[in-house]
């Protein structure tokens, strides 16, 4: 295997699910996808690495400035991100929207409603799929469906990470579904909310018409479906070899079939 670029190495180490999806990008867009994954990881870290919301907002501002800068920043992620923007592979507006969506994580009161929680997921994980879809030439009419696919992947990710977030002193579950204080004290207290949120997940979009070159942007939906089914049934949802094979099968076929079964 050829040596990975710095952005690809970060993507593989920090976000193996999206890294596997990116392997199904056309070769000419693969490095842009790796830069986007690494960028998304940096945005997620903005709040993870500090308990101070102001510091988190300052870290997000760094990325706004890096996106707008006419020359690349001397940073292992900012430099390849700038190269992808300059090459026309990534859209500045999509990237800025991803930064803006992360500001919600700096709000100490968290999400009051499930609707607000879903909107946050649509902007973060959903925004990622929109940015990648646009980079891969997805038709504009299908970008909202890609956003829904990403939102579902983000939902599954949050529900799988309740204990990890609690260890950081954070609860991302909405207040109308779970008691944050109880979850911080014992993450197991979130189990009923996790099952309920997974079972009531919005329906998966139909992406069967997505052109083959853009399939990588939709592949997170394969994992989301599998994760949410397990979570709704109250089963642990660790990543499995079967999950990766299902994703790779969809990537090889070049399409996401419409699915009718319940979560």
């Amino acid at each position: 295997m050829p040596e990975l670029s710095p952005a690809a190495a970060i993507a593989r180490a920090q976000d193996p699910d999206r890294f596997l999806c990116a392997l199904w990008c056309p070769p000419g867009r693969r490095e842009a996808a790796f830069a986007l994954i690494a960028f998304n990881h940096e945005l997620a870290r903005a709040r993870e690495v500090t308990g101070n919301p102001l510091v988190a907002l300052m870290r997000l501002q760094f990325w706004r400035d890096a996106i707008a800068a006419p020359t690349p920043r001397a940073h292992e992620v900012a430099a390849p991100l700038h190269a992808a923007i300059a090459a026309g592979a990534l859209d500045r507006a999509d990237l800025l929207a991803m930064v803006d969506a992360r500001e919600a994580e700096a709000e100490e009161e968290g999400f009051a409603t499930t609707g607000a929680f879903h909107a946050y997921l649509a902007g973060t994980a959903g925004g990622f799929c929109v940015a990648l879809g646009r980079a891969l030439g997805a038709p504009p009419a299908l970008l909202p469906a890609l956003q829904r696919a990403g939102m579902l992947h983000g939902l599954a990710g949050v529900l799988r990470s309740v204990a990890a977030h609690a260890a950081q002193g954070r609860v991302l579950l909405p207040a109308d579904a779970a008691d944050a204080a109880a979850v911080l004290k014992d993450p197991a207290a979130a189990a009923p909310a996790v099952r309920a949120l997974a079972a009531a997940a919005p329906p998966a979009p139909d992406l069967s018409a997505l052109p083959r070159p853009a399939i990588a942007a939709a592949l997170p939906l394969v994992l989301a479906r599998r994760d949410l089914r397990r979570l709704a049934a109250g089963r642990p949802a660790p990543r499995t070899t079967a999950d990766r094979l299902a994703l790779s099968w969809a990537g090889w076929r070049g399409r996401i079939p419409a699915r009718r079964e319940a979560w």
Side-chain angles (χ1 to χ4, degrees):
M1 175 181 289
E3 184 177 355
L4 295 176
S5 66
I10 292 170
R12 184 174 67 174
Q14 303 298 337
D15 197 340
D17 284 355
R18 290 189 177 96
F19 175 80
L20 181 56
C21 294
L23 295 180
W24 294 98
C25 289
R29 283 290 189 257
R30 210 165 285 157
E31 283 300 324
F34 294 146
L36 181 64
I37 295 168
F39 167 67
N40 186 63
H41 170 65
E42 288 292 329
L43 297 184
R45 289 182 69 242
R47 179 62 180 82
E48 288 177 0
V49 299
T50 180
N52 187 326
L54 181 58
V55 173
L57 293 174
M58 291 172 63
R59 294 175 69 92
L60 293 178
Q61 186 58 46
F62 169 88
W63 287 105
R64 286 193 185 90
D65 294 342
I67 291 165
T71 56
R73 297 287 181 91
H75 185 281
E76 61 183 353
V77 175
L81 188 70
H82 183 276
I85 295 170
L90 294 177
D91 183 80
R92 278 192 170 90
D94 289 338
L95 302 179
L96 289 171
M98 290 172 63
V99 178
D100 291 345
R102 288 286 175 181
E103 286 193 353
E105 296 179 0
E107 300 292 337
E108 294 185 342
E109 62 269 22
F111 303 106
T113 67
T114 298
F117 177 53
H118 285 178
Y120 152 77
L121 295 169
T124 53
F128 172 90
C129 285
V130 168
L132 183 56
R134 201 186 307 275
L136 300 179
L142 287 179
L143 293 179
L146 284 173
Q147 185 173 39
R148 173 67 64 83
M151 176 266 173
L152 291 170
H153 184 238
L155 172 62
V158 171
L159 298 182
R160 295 173 67 223
S161 303
V162 169
H165 289 152
Q168 299 167 357
R170 300 195 295 155
V171 176
L172 293 181
L173 303 179
D176 62 4
D179 182 286
V183 174
L184 286 173
K185 184 176 181 181
D186 179 11
V194 168
R195 290 195 299 271
L197 288 166
D206 181 359
L207 286 163
S208 57
L210 191 70
R212 187 183 188 95
I215 192 64
L219 291 176
L221 182 60
V222 175
L223 299 177
R225 283 170 164 159
R226 298 173 68 87
D227 288 341
L228 290 169
R229 280 199 298 272
R230 290 192 292 256
L231 290 162
R235 299 196 303 271
R239 183 60 61 239
T240 67
T241 298
D243 294 334
R244 298 186 184 95
L245 288 173
L247 186 154
S248 296
W249 174 244
W252 182 79
R253 294 179 73 198
R255 67 185 185 91
I256 304 293
R259 299 287 293 273
R260 298 183 181 278
E261 71 268 20
W263 293 110

